[in-house]
Amino acid sequence: MSAIEHNKRPLLIYLHGFLSSPQSYKCQLMRERVAAEHPRIVFCAPQVSPYPAIAQQSLVALVERFLNSGECGPIGLVGSSMGGFWSSYLAERYGLPAVLVNPAVHPSRFMPTYVGQVLKPYSGEPQEYRLTQADVDTMCQLDSELRQPLRGRYWLLAQRGDETLDYREAEAFYRGQRQTIEDGGDHGFQGFARYCAPIVEFLFNL
């Protein structure tokens, strides 16, 4: 029996990138495709805080709220960029499947460059953020918790033309997992629509 035939509704959690939002193109596209093709799947795309401690607490609370609701079907994760790190964090903590799209593998390495800067969401929202060294320290701790061998089940989607992150880092970290690495493209992952249906199949064993 497939996950979609299970008597409890599956949950797909989509996690956006750093300073992005659930209004991002890939998130909205995934939401629309799931609603149209798999209406029994609950689609959840929370606003993820750029502050690591807040993000970690809220995402763990989200998953555990669903697990403890008594209505829990299978859970699948999709994460883009920084959302890829958070998806991996949750996948390791709860043994979940996750699809990672041009993921940030070790965000603690680049986060120090943002310390003290005024950061504004790419979505144009008026909210501003300012990271501190304490945020970097928290991210270093969370980063260190992701170790091999991995517990989760992963599919890495990466493009060599990513101008923000080096795909080779993800390729090495997720070795032994399913990987699709394309020539060209960019950090936004060109042609993402091709993968919406296969992502659902991978997460929920359709």
Side-chain angles (χ1 to χ4, degrees), residues 90-125:
L90 294 174
E92 291 304 288
R93 183 164 180 146
Y94 299 102
L96 301 174
V99 176
L100 315 173
V101 185
N102 283 339
V105 178
H106 297 294
S108 61
R109 296 178 183 175
F110 62 76
M111 187 168 282
T113 62
Y114 294 105
V115 172
Q117 296 183 33
V118 175
L119 305 174
K120 298 182 179 181
Y122 299 128
S123 58
E125 297 170 4

Side-chain angles (χ1 to χ4, degrees), residues 30-140:
M30 196 78 214
R31 183 194 301 274
E32 292 169 3
R33 293 287 291 272
V34 168
E37 299 171 12
H38 300 285
R40 290 202 62 237
I41 294 178
V42 178
F43 186 92
C44 177
Q47 180 69 52
V48 183
S49 173
Y51 298 115
I54 296 175
Q56 186 266 354
Q57 292 168 7
S58 63
L59 293 174
V60 165
L62 171 66
V63 172
E64 294 195 349
R65 185 164 60 249
F66 186 74
L67 291 174
N68 295 329
S69 68
E71 302 175 356
C72 180
I75 301 173
L77 303 161
V78 181
S80 173
S81 191
M82 185 67 171
F85 170 81
W86 289 119
S87 292
S88 298
Y89 179 85
L90 294 174
E92 291 304 288
R93 183 164 180 146
Y94 299 102
L96 301 174
V99 176
L100 315 173
V101 185
N102 283 339
V105 178
H106 297 294
S108 61
R109 296 178 183 175
F110 62 76
M111 187 168 282
T113 62
Y114 294 105
V115 172
Q117 296 183 33
V118 175
L119 305 174
K120 298 182 179 181
Y122 299 128
S123 58
E125 297 170 4
Q127 179 72 46
E128 294 182 348
Y129 304 95
R130 192 186 298 269
L131 300 179
T132 68
Q133 184 58 46
D135 295 315
V136 174
D137 294 342
T138 298
M139 181 53 72
C140 286

Side-chain angles (χ1 to χ4, degrees), residues 140-174:
C140 286
Q141 176 59 40
L142 294 168
D143 204 337
S144 70
E145 294 177 19
L146 284 184
R147 299 176 180 176
Q148 295 170 324
L150 298 170
R151 292 182 60 230
R153 179 169 60 89
Y154 297 95
W155 181 11
L156 170 65
L157 295 175
Q159 293 185 329
R160 294 185 175 91
D162 187 338
E163 72 283 4
T164 302
L165 299 170
D166 188 341
Y167 77 92
R168 292 171 294 187
E169 193 169 37
E171 182 180 35
F173 188 79
Y174 297 101

